[in-house]
Amino acid sequence: MGELVTTSTTSARPSAEKDSGLGSLEVLAVVLVLLVLARDQLAGLLSGPALQTWATVFVSVLVQAVPFLVFGVVLSAVIAVFVPRGFWAKALPSHPALAVPAAGVAGVILPGCECGSVPIAGSLIRRGVTPAAALAFLLAAPAINPIVLTATVIAFPGQPLMAVARGVASLVVAVSMGWLWLRLGRTEWIRLPHRPDLDDTSKARAFWAACRHDIMHAGGFLVLGAAAAATINVVIPAAWLQSLAGYPVLSVIALATLAVLLSICSEADAFVAASLSQFSLTSRLVFLVVGPMVDLKLISMQAGVFGRRFAWRFAPATFVAAILIGSAFGLVLL
């Protein structure tokens, strides 16, 4: 089949933690002790309204995302351990250009959000799926699955075309980005982190090893993304958005940017979009198309799973494509 990515099976570098006898559990214990000792000072700092808002947003992003991250990690481990390497060559069309839309449509079967799709896409590439197809799946799955589309119908009663426009526009963006990767993407831009060899151990041990690896790697970047989203929520005044609602072009750009900054789970973002009633339906559609594909936590996770060189190229290109395609479908259907 098309372009394949192979990952290096070189041995892991010796860990400095092993040499010093200090592991992640010991570091965590030290941090917890310090937090307990400084609890009075921290309580005083967190009493301010801004920091309370920051903590609320930070926790809410994690609470929304973690269940789907775990789901994606488990499914990724199942793909890595139990699915034969040759399965994907048979399941997807052999021609990469045809494999991209097939993988995008396959996103319908994943009942989760963008946090779960990142480790799954990484696992698909490890199992020989052409990166373009895996990336189309990564973008489509959080936006066109039945749970997200049903939530959109409920959030916009009497406006079923909003769910239709969201699903079709998101699929078009996902397939377009997959084809763009076929045209311009380079294999060296994707640097999957070293994962312990899973073929030389039992299925059960390999499964848990894959789960531990992915949850630690993707989970850490999820925390960084959630912290960035919480900071943005506190820093940006809501009045700024209100002043942009009356300008068609600026309102689209504003809500697209807001979708990136808020980092809301794709299964809940429709209700946020519905509450922004001062904005046009087209700008709110762009909000729904951009959010599941480009947000702070997702960019952070993509940098952790695929490498920074990939994230700094792929995220801006997806952002622009989502705005243009989402706006076009909004003007035609809404």
Side-chain angles (χ1 to χ4, degrees), residues 279-294:
F279 289 89
S280 67
L281 287 176
T282 296
S283 59
R284 285 185 278 175
L285 174 63
V286 171
F287 177 89
L288 295 177
V289 174
V290 170
M293 298 184 178
V294 189

Side-chain angles (χ1 to χ4, degrees), residues 12-13 21 24 46 51 87 89 100 122 142 153 184-185 190 206 214 222-223 233 249 286:
R13 294 188 300 268
S24 58
L46 293 175
L51 285 175
F87 171 81
V100 167
V153 171
L184 302 176
I190 295 180
D214 286 350
L222 172 61
V223 171
N233 272 268
V249 176
V286 171

Side-chain angles (χ1 to χ4, degrees), residues 131-189:
L135 296 177
F137 177 87
L138 181 151
L139 296 178
I144 68 172
N145 73 72
I147 295 178
V148 169
L149 295 181
T150 300
T152 306
V153 171
I154 295 173
F156 291 88
Q159 296 173 325
L161 284 180
M162 178 62 83
V164 174
R166 178 181 192 176
V168 177
S170 298
L171 181 60
V172 171
V173 174
V175 174
S176 299
M177 288 304 300
W179 284 336
L180 183 64
W181 181 266
L182 281 178
R183 180 74 176 176
L184 302 176
R186 298 180 181 178
T187 301
E188 60 267 23
W189 290 348

Side-chain angles (χ1 to χ4, degrees), residues 61 114 221-233 257-264 291 293-303 312:
V61 170
E114 58 272 21
F221 283 91
L222 172 61
V223 171
L224 292 177
T231 302
I232 293 297
N233 272 268
T257 305
L258 185 65
V260 175
L261 301 179
L262 291 183
S263 302
I264 305 171
M293 298 184 178
V294 189
D295 63 34
L296 291 179
K297 70 178 188 301
L298 189 56
I299 294 172
S300 182
M301 292 177 66
Q302 288 179 359
W312 301 141

